[in-house]
Amino acid sequence: MRQKRGGRAAGVTMEDVARVAGVSAMTVSRVLRQPTLVNADLKARVEAAIRETGYIYNLVASSLASQRSGIIALILPTVASSIFTDSVKGVSDVARTHAVQMIMAETNYSPAEEEKVIEALLRRRPDGFVIVGVSHTRATRALLEKSGVPVVETWDSTPTPIDSLVGLSNFDAMKAMTEALVAQGFRRIVFVGTATPDRRAQMRAKGYEAGIAEAGLGAPLILNAGDLTSMESGRIVAERIAALRPRPDAVLCLNDVLAAGALLAFQRMGIAVPADIAVAGFGGLDFSSHLNPSLSTVDIPRYEMGQKAAEMLLGRIAGTAAQGGTCEMGYRIMLRESTGGSRPTEAKAS
Amino acid sequence: MRQKRGGRAAGVTMEDVARVAGVSAMTVSRVLRQPTLVNADLKARVEAAIRETGYIYNLVASSLASQRSGIIALILPTVASSIFTDSVKGVSDVARTHAVQMIMAETNYSPAEEEKVIEALLRRRPDGFVIVGVSHTRATRALLEKSGVPVVETWDSTPTPIDSLVGLSNFDAMKAMTEALVAQGFRRIVFVGTATPDRRAQMRAKGYEAGIAEAGLGAPLILNAGDLTSMESGRIVAERIAALRPRPDAVLCLNDVLAAGALLAFQRMGIAVPADIAVAGFGGLDFSSHLNPSLSTVDIPRYEMGQKAAEMLLGRIAGTAAQGGTCEMGYRIMLRESTGGSRPTEAKAS
DNA sequence: CTGAAAGCGCTAACAA
DNA sequence: TTGTTAGCGCTTTCAG
């Protein structure tokens, strides 16, 4: 520890290590960052000095000097949702492999909040962004473009990404599930969304509508399950559905959490699933296959999507990938017991 | 944009803003950090200049100069577990309120990995750590102590925290649940843990053992549900339990995810819960009350624990809280249908 | 292969 | 209330 001007205390610095090892700070820096360029003897001495002094490399100083923070930012609607945890893990695993740190922030499904969050993160000078969603305010887009920081958008699709895209067609996926339900013989299919829908939710609802329209099943029926996704919201909407006359024969939910809440609520009300009413979800979450009856769902490669997005971003950062890169992820329709599939059926798409 | 030595490009700096506003960089800095100290006229000019130039404050440079990063680090066993998401949100919400950013890292339940992760994070010079768990390598402890960074440990209890503690007695909580099951009349209670238990898991198992011993129920029986916590692990262990003779009359699980997996698996096997076998979990996760039958569990104030930990940490960072602060969180035994409680019963503790 | 000089963009301390 | 000076601890560049 040293004392400098005004009594600021500081820890061991590279300079201190250099002094102990009898070399210059530059050599210490090289040992840490490009060890092959340094003579083996010196390297050993430096490493000993590092151990001896308990030196801890200062990435703040490094970031400032090198103009690279070694941080990638991940922007998502909410951290408290099981829907995104796997994607977070995908990003995080790739980041760790490349000795990059990930910093996360949530937007609460609000583009305005997203704008604030991105501006706040930009102050940390991240080397890149992974952003869930493709719907942003004009200002967000301008901010990102002006900053020149690579961006990978994901979990949605668009022909005009800010930079690069790891896409998922929520429309196609939900339409495919709707068609699968129609093929199973369901005719009065109700869709359950949320009161404050984001673009991904809207695209799913539209996919449902398109599926219904193409099947010539008359007017689509969409209910909202309250502000946020939770089993409780699913339960409440199930009660409303149970009261509908004539009663729908199938319930298609925006996601698995709502679907599970609805499924369990129907059972509790004495309404048999799928005999009285079928239920299907979206997301392919872990628990869906364990429920009784097992829940039909659209399986999304959540982990792989995070992984792919991070890899693409690192490529952009390294300069090995060009701007405009796009990669579309697929989905799988999993027909299980909750829609009357006697045995688990699978159909692959995209 | 400017060009300097060697052709490095850089963005708009505080200096640039100062020039446009006709003030010194220090004034710009003050407008941003202590606006009340600046004359209203100048402030307005500076703010206009910031907008005009599109200036984005550089927290990297700020951190280096001020020796405060404005980052708190959160260390947890895994990010992909529903058990911790609420605690993460608690920390994150408090952090945001105080204009601090949170950075997260996972240890995969390994103290050795924790050591690496903490060392890596220390390079970012976080202002403090929130760490899930109180079991660390000697080196980790030394590292943290030497660094002088405030630390709040949580989700476990110890008389000797590194710095401060937001405690939870896993032992007491699981013992209380065991006693509750005994009081309900169960006599052959099996405990389900995981193969790679951390200290929290061990303390829960010990709590179970103590409860069994005090009730004079003979030898405790502990099964391991595989490496990691998942519904699938719960399902598999349920099959083993179903084959035990004489069959246990209750299954107490390390957490709600295992318990849910077991409960659903029993049902699928045609074993009635709780008529044939009771099931209880730990954690008080959202879904537990929605299952049929609803799952008895030990409710833990997960969000509040994160919140409290973050608040305590910020107090330590600000210097308003003393080292050694401790706060013990309680738990609630929730007896629900899965253990035969006809209607939801609650008992409060700690 | 190694080192010296000159910053990176900001803030603490001091002066005016 | 505002400005000046001297760093924060590292890396880039360039010379040797």
Side-chain angles (χ1 to χ4, degrees):
Chain A
M1 304 288 179
R2 302 152 315 143
Q3 289 288 110
K4 290 216 175 159
R5 181 168 182 205
R8 273 199 233 160
V12 180
T13 71
M14 207 172 251
E15 201 82 42
D16 298 331
V17 174
R19 203 171 304 117
V20 171
V23 299
S24 75
M26 244 346 275
T27 299
V28 177
S29 175
R30 287 199 185 96
V31 167
L32 262 18
R33 301 163 17 102
Q34 322 170 63
T36 55
L37 300 185
V38 181
N39 173 293
D41 271 15
L42 280 194
K43 202 177 102 183
R45 258 161 58 199
V46 168
E47 281 163 351
I50 288 174
R51 245 170 287 125
E52 187 184 326
T53 55
Y55 171 65
I56 294 176
Y57 186 58
N58 188 331
L59 272 170
V60 177
S62 166
S63 300
L64 180 59
S66 68
Q67 305 283 61
R68 308 178 91 268
S69 62
I71 287 178
I72 63 175
L74 174 58
I75 311 291
L76 61 175
T78 169
V79 295
S81 161
S82 38
I83 297 170
F84 296 113
T85 45
D86 289 309
S87 292
V88 171
K89 199 160 173 52
V91 173
S92 148
D93 283 354
V94 170
R96 180 173 12 197
T97 304
H98 294 256
V100 162
Q101 263 161 35
M102 189 194 79
I103 185 164
M104 238 165 57
E106 61 182 3
T107 67
N108 291 311
Y109 292 94
S110 148
E113 213 169 312
E114 183 188 66
E115 184 177 326
K116 289 198 175 169
V117 152
I118 288 178
E119 197 175 338
L121 284 186
L122 237 16
R123 299 201 249 267
R124 298 266 172 214
R125 299 297 190 265
D127 296 334
F129 280 90
V130 172
I131 306 181
V132 169
V134 301
S135 168
H136 320 287
T137 67
R138 190 176 298 279
T140 299
R141 204 175 168 108
L143 197 60
L144 250 12
E145 274 164 355
K146 182 174 180 217
S147 76
V149 178
V151 174
V152 176
E153 292 162 278
T154 187
W155 267 92
D156 200 348
S157 266
T158 172
T160 54
I162 297 176
D163 174 341
S164 300
L165 177 76
V166 174
L168 170 72
S169 174
N170 292 280
F171 178 93
D172 289 354
M174 196 57 102
K175 179 163 176 241
M177 178 53 108
T178 307
E179 287 165 353
L181 292 180
V182 171
Q184 294 270 307
F186 298 106
R187 288 296 171 267
R188 288 187 48 81
I189 306 169
V190 56
F191 183 85
V192 172
T194 52
T196 54
D198 60 344
R199 189 174 183 278
R200 286 178 305 291
Q202 282 169 355
M203 294 316 284
R204 287 181 207 161
K206 289 206 165 120
Y208 154 78
E209 288 177 339
I212 293 296
E214 288 188 14
L217 289 184
L221 176 56
I222 298 186
L223 293 183
N224 286 330
D227 279 359
L228 79 186
T229 284
S230 69
M231 287 218 173
E232 181 61 11
S233 299
R235 184 185 71 70
I236 292 169
V237 87
E239 290 182 353
R240 284 170 54 205
I241 291 171
L244 292 178
R245 289 296 175 275
R247 190 190 278 160
D249 55 7
V251 180
L252 180 51
C253 295
L254 181 65
N255 59 52
D256 284 348
V257 174
L258 288 173
L263 186 155
L264 293 164
F266 283 134
Q267 289 182 330
R268 192 163 284 260
M269 288 184 269
I271 299 174
V273 177
D276 297 333
I277 196 164
V279 177
F282 188 104
L285 295 194
D286 199 37
F287 62 73
S288 59
S289 64
H290 289 270
L291 292 171
N292 301 318
S294 54
L295 178 67
S296 295
T297 186
V298 183
D299 189 29
I300 301 296
R302 303 181 306 281
Y303 181 83
E304 291 75 13
M305 211 149 51
Q307 238 184 348
K308 187 76 199 169
E311 278 162 7
M312 201 175 255
L313 183 63
L314 291 173
R316 290 283 298 128
I317 293 170
T320 56
Q323 182 163 350
T326 283
C327 143
E328 197 73 14
M329 304 299 281
Y331 55 85
R332 287 157 70 207
I333 303 299
M334 314 288 288
L335 292 182
R336 297 198 276 228
E337 293 161 351
S338 71
T339 52
S342 51
R343 48 196 169 273
T345 313
E346 295 183 15
K348 197 156 187 176
S350 204
Chain B
M1 305 287 177
R2 301 153 313 141
Q3 289 288 111
K4 288 216 177 161
R5 183 167 180 202
R8 274 200 233 160
V12 179
T13 72
M14 206 173 251
E15 200 81 42
D16 299 331
V17 174
R19 201 170 307 119
V20 171
V23 298
S24 75
M26 232 6 258
T27 299
V28 177
S29 175
R30 287 199 186 96
V31 168
L32 260 19
R33 298 162 20 103
Q34 320 169 64
T36 55
L37 299 186
V38 180
N39 173 294
D41 271 13
L42 281 194
K43 203 176 97 180
R45 255 161 59 198
V46 167
E47 282 163 349
I50 287 175
R51 245 169 290 123
E52 187 184 326
T53 56
Y55 172 65
I56 295 176
Y57 187 56
N58 188 333
L59 273 170
V60 176
S62 166
S63 299
L64 180 60
S66 67
Q67 306 283 61
R68 307 177 95 266
S69 62
I71 287 177
I72 63 175
L74 173 58
I75 310 290
L76 61 173
T78 168
V79 295
S81 160
S82 39
I83 297 170
F84 296 114
T85 45
D86 289 310
S87 292
V88 171
K89 198 160 173 55
V91 173
S92 149
D93 284 353
V94 171
R96 180 174 12 200
T97 304
H98 294 255
V100 162
Q101 262 160 34
M102 189 193 79
I103 185 163
M104 241 166 54
E106 61 183 2
T107 67
N108 292 312
Y109 292 96
S110 150
E113 213 168 313
E114 184 189 65
E115 185 179 325
K116 290 199 172 169
V117 152
I118 288 178
E119 198 177 335
L121 283 186
L122 237 14
R123 299 201 248 270
R124 298 266 171 215
R125 299 298 190 265
D127 295 333
F129 281 90
V130 172
I131 305 182
V132 169
V134 300
S135 169
H136 319 287
T137 67
R138 189 177 300 280
T140 299
R141 205 178 167 106
L143 197 61
L144 251 11
E145 274 164 355
K146 183 175 178 217
S147 76
V149 179
V151 174
V152 176
E153 291 161 279
T154 186
W155 268 92
D156 200 348
S157 267
T158 173
T160 54
I162 297 176
D163 173 344
S164 301
L165 178 76
V166 174
L168 169 71
S169 175
N170 292 280
F171 178 94
D172 290 354
M174 196 57 103
K175 180 163 176 239
M177 178 50 107
T178 308
E179 286 165 351
L181 293 180
V182 171
Q184 294 270 308
F186 298 105
R187 288 298 171 263
R188 290 186 46 82
I189 306 170
V190 57
F191 183 84
V192 172
T194 51
T196 52
D198 61 343
R199 189 175 183 279
R200 284 178 307 290
Q202 282 168 355
M203 295 315 285
R204 287 180 208 160
K206 289 202 164 125
Y208 153 78
E209 288 176 340
I212 293 295
E214 287 187 14
L217 289 185
L221 176 56
I222 298 187
L223 293 183
N224 285 330
D227 280 357
L228 77 188
T229 283
S230 67
M231 287 219 173
E232 181 61 12
S233 299
R235 184 185 70 72
I236 291 168
V237 86
E239 291 184 351
R240 285 170 53 205
I241 291 170
L244 292 179
R245 291 294 176 276
R247 190 191 276 160
D249 56 6
V251 180
L252 181 50
C253 295
L254 179 65
N255 58 53
D256 283 348
V257 175
L258 289 174
L263 186 155
L264 293 165
F266 283 134
Q267 289 181 330
R268 193 162 284 260
M269 288 183 271
I271 299 173
V273 178
D276 297 332
I277 196 164
V279 177
F282 188 104
L285 295 194
D286 198 38
F287 63 73
S288 59
S289 65
H290 288 270
L291 291 171
N292 301 318
S294 55
L295 178 67
S296 295
T297 186
V298 183
D299 190 29
I300 302 297
R302 303 182 307 280
Y303 180 83
E304 292 75 12
M305 212 150 50
Q307 236 184 350
K308 186 78 200 167
E311 278 163 6
M312 201 177 255
L313 183 63
L314 291 173
R316 291 284 296 126
I317 293 170
T320 56
Q323 183 163 352
T326 282
C327 146
E328 197 74 14
M329 304 300 281
Y331 55 85
R332 288 157 69 207
I333 303 297
M334 313 289 286
L335 293 181
R336 298 198 274 226
E337 293 162 349
S338 70
T339 53
S342 51
R343 50 196 167 273
T345 313
E346 295 184 17
K348 197 158 186 173
S350 203

